[in-house]
Each structure stands twice: as C-alpha cells, then as structure tokens.
Amino acid sequence: MTPLTSKTAPAPTALPTAAPEPAPPASPVLSVRDVRITDRAGGREIVHGVSFDLTPGRAVGIVGESGSGKTLTCRATLGILPPHFEVSAGTVEIGGTPIDTLTPRQWTELRGATISAVFQDPASYLNPSLRVGPQIAEVVRVKKGLGRRPARQRALDLLRAVHLREPELVYGQYPFELSGGMLQRVLIAAAVAADPQILIADEATTALDVTVQAEILDLLDDLRERTGLALVVVSHDLAVVAQLCDEVLVMRQGEVVEQGPTRSVLHAPRHPYTRLLIAEHEQYGLEKFRTPKEEA
C-alpha cells in the first residue's frame, strides 16, 4: 500500500508594495496673480503685472531699485496702498480668499493674525511714549484674547525668541532707549506675536550695519524653519534676498524683468538688469550664493 504523502501548498506570491503616493503640494497662503497697480491721480499704471505663489515655510524675494514697484506690490497684498493708488487688474488671495471681498472688519482680524509686516524704520511703528513690552503684550491681548499676565509672559517669550538679551529689562524700556537692531527685533516680535502665516519684511534690514543685518536675517530664517512662517522679503540688496529666499522676482520700473528659483537666477541671470545687480553686489559676498547646487 502506497503511503499517503502530504503536499505543501505553495507560498502565495507576494503582491508588489505600492510606492507611497507623493504628498500633495501645499496650498498657497498668499497668491498674487498678474497684479497691476494704477495711480489714479496721475492716470498711469505703476506696477505692470506681478505674479507669485507663497506656500508655508517658503520665502519669496522681491528685489529692485527704489521706485521699481516692489513696496507698492507688498502694500497691495496688505490692503494698505497709499491714497490714489489702486489694484486696477489681477487678484490677490490670502488663504484662498480674494482680498477685494474682505470687509474692513475682516481686514482688521486678518492683519497681524494671518498676515503681518516689518518695515524699514521700526521707530515709526512703535509708540515712543509707551514701553516696548506692553506694546507687544497689547497685540497679544487683542489678537489672541489673552489676559494681562499671560500676555505679558507671551511678550517676554517673544523677546527671548528674537534673541534679545535680558528680555525683562527690554520689556520695560522705551523705544528711544534701544538701538536700531534691538528695535527691529522688537518689531519682529510684535509682528509674529499673533502667530501669522505670512510675514512681509520690507527693507527690514536696510538701516542696520552688516553684523546686525546678518543677525536679523538669521532670525527670520530661524522663524521660518521653526514655525513654517512664509516670508516675502523686499530689498534693493540682492545679497539679502539670496540669503533667505527660495524664489526671486527682479523688478525694474514696475515690471518683473526676471523671476525664478533664487540659485538659478543668481547663477545664470538672463536679463541685463539682473546681471548688473549681481555685478554690483559681488563685492559683498554674493558669489557664495551663486554656487551651483551640485557644487555647494
């Protein structure tokens, strides 16, 4: 009698593991589409079609000479164009919402809490008769709804976050008692007090000496990396934009003459004006930012 033999069932064929799907691209927190700005009093267009998208944790630089339209572009995104100026074409969206649909009350809620700004002269944006700490604490109280004590502690934490020595001392000082670099740090602390998604830095380091300027740029970069803050950096100095930004727009006489990834624009500029800017700034160490990625 032939013994029965057991047969081992073949192992099931393993199904190939599907490759993980790439994460969808982040939605822009700020979208500028073909924005044109007109001076109604003079009847002429000043800014001729600016476009860019800004996603969390990214930085876009706008560079150009005085009068090129870079500051007007940023003021348009904040809804604070000077009298007689208006967005005559194109759209600006913050978090997917067109800004031309916002009511004054919605703008008040949005500024500081979603989009904020730091400008060139911090003393002009701080009340000289009030100590700087309470000014920051007031922003926190209004925008975050905190009580006095938590708001004071938040203000002290912000002063530490912007690397000010002795924050308790600085909290109780008046603007005139602080240096330009310290004032700029205080203004940055106030600008990010309500945890905005977008920060516009408009010539924020122009009046500072080289060492303090480098510290402020490092601070902005640190905030971007730690919090996912999206930055718009406006400057006439290409080296400043090169240090911070992923994308750069070069503006001249209201027009974007060149736009693209910062390293590509610096390494292979196409427009004569961009090449001129690079030539002018190479003496300040711009060359290190022009190294191709494969060589960096």
Side-chain angles (χ1 to χ4, degrees):
M1 185 174 182
T2 305
L4 296 174
T5 58
S6 61
K7 294 185 178 180
T8 304
T13 304
L15 295 174
T17 304
E21 293 186 7
S27 298
V29 289
L30 176 63
S31 183
V32 176
R33 285 280 172 272
D34 195 29
V35 163
R36 297 172 181 272
I37 299 172
T38 298
D39 176 6
R40 294 197 310 272
R44 63 192 184 100
E45 188 176 272
I46 305 297
V47 173
H48 316 299
V50 176
S51 298
F52 65 87
D53 283 334
L54 185 63
T55 54
R58 304 289 284 177
V60 170
I62 306 176
V63 67
E65 61 197 3
S66 297
S68 61
K70 55 191 189 297
T71 292
L72 278 177
T73 299
C74 288
R75 286 186 172 274
T77 68
L78 290 160
I80 54 171
L81 280 171
H84 309 301
F85 288 84
E86 66 176 1
V87 175
S88 51
T91 59
V92 177
E93 294 184 358
I94 297 176
T97 301
I99 66 171
D100 59 359
T101 67
L102 297 173
T103 64
R105 181 175 179 178
Q106 288 173 318
W107 262 124
T108 300
E109 293 173 352
L110 204 66
R111 292 192 191 106
T114 300
I115 185 168
S116 194
V118 181
F119 296 99
Q120 180 175 347
D121 182 10
S124 299
Y125 297 92
L126 293 168
N127 189 326
S129 64
L130 297 177
R131 301 176 195 273
V132 297
Q135 294 191 58
I136 300 172
E138 183 65 16
V139 175
V140 177
R141 291 185 65 199
V142 170
K143 294 295 183 180
K144 306 287 280 186
L146 298 184
R148 289 185 181 275
R149 285 190 177 182
R152 182 182 188 279
Q153 186 56 53
R154 168 70 172 159
L156 287 169
D157 291 343
L158 285 162
L159 292 174
R160 291 188 189 94
V162 297
H163 308 308
L164 279 165
R165 299 187 188 91
E166 300 182 275
E168 292 271 1
L169 175 62
V170 174
Y171 185 96
Q173 290 182 307
Y174 290 94
F176 71 86
E177 297 180 277
L178 304 179
S179 69
M182 294 174 75
L183 284 172
Q184 200 62 279
R185 291 170 192 269
V186 168
L187 199 63
I188 292 171
V192 301
D195 300 315
Q197 300 173 24
I198 308 156
L199 179 65
I200 295 175
D202 188 354
E203 299 282 12
T205 63
T206 296
L208 306 176
D209 65 47
V210 174
T211 302
V212 178
Q213 175 177 281
E215 291 174 352
I216 297 295
L217 294 177
D218 286 342
L219 170 60
L220 291 173
D221 201 32
D222 179 58
L223 286 170
R224 178 174 73 138
E225 290 184 3
R226 285 193 297 107
T227 68
L229 184 67
L231 288 173
V232 178
V233 180
V234 181
S235 182
H236 67 275
D237 187 341
L238 195 54
V240 168
V241 171
Q243 182 172 336
L244 272 180
C245 299
D246 305 293
E247 180 183 358
V248 61
L249 287 72
V250 181
M251 293 190 69
R252 190 181 193 195
Q253 297 176 347
E255 182 182 358
V256 177
V257 297
E258 188 153 1
Q259 181 172 357
T262 303
R263 195 177 293 271
S264 299
V265 170
L266 295 180
H267 185 64
R270 299 185 306 275
H271 195 276
Y273 180 62
T274 310
R275 292 196 288 268
L276 177 64
L277 286 179
I278 290 172
E280 287 180 348
H281 288 92
E282 279 179 344
Q283 59 181 310
Y284 301 114
L286 185 61
E287 190 61 37
K288 67 182 179 181
F289 299 109
R290 300 183 64 209
T291 306
K293 284 186 178 179
E294 59 270 18
E295 296 177 12

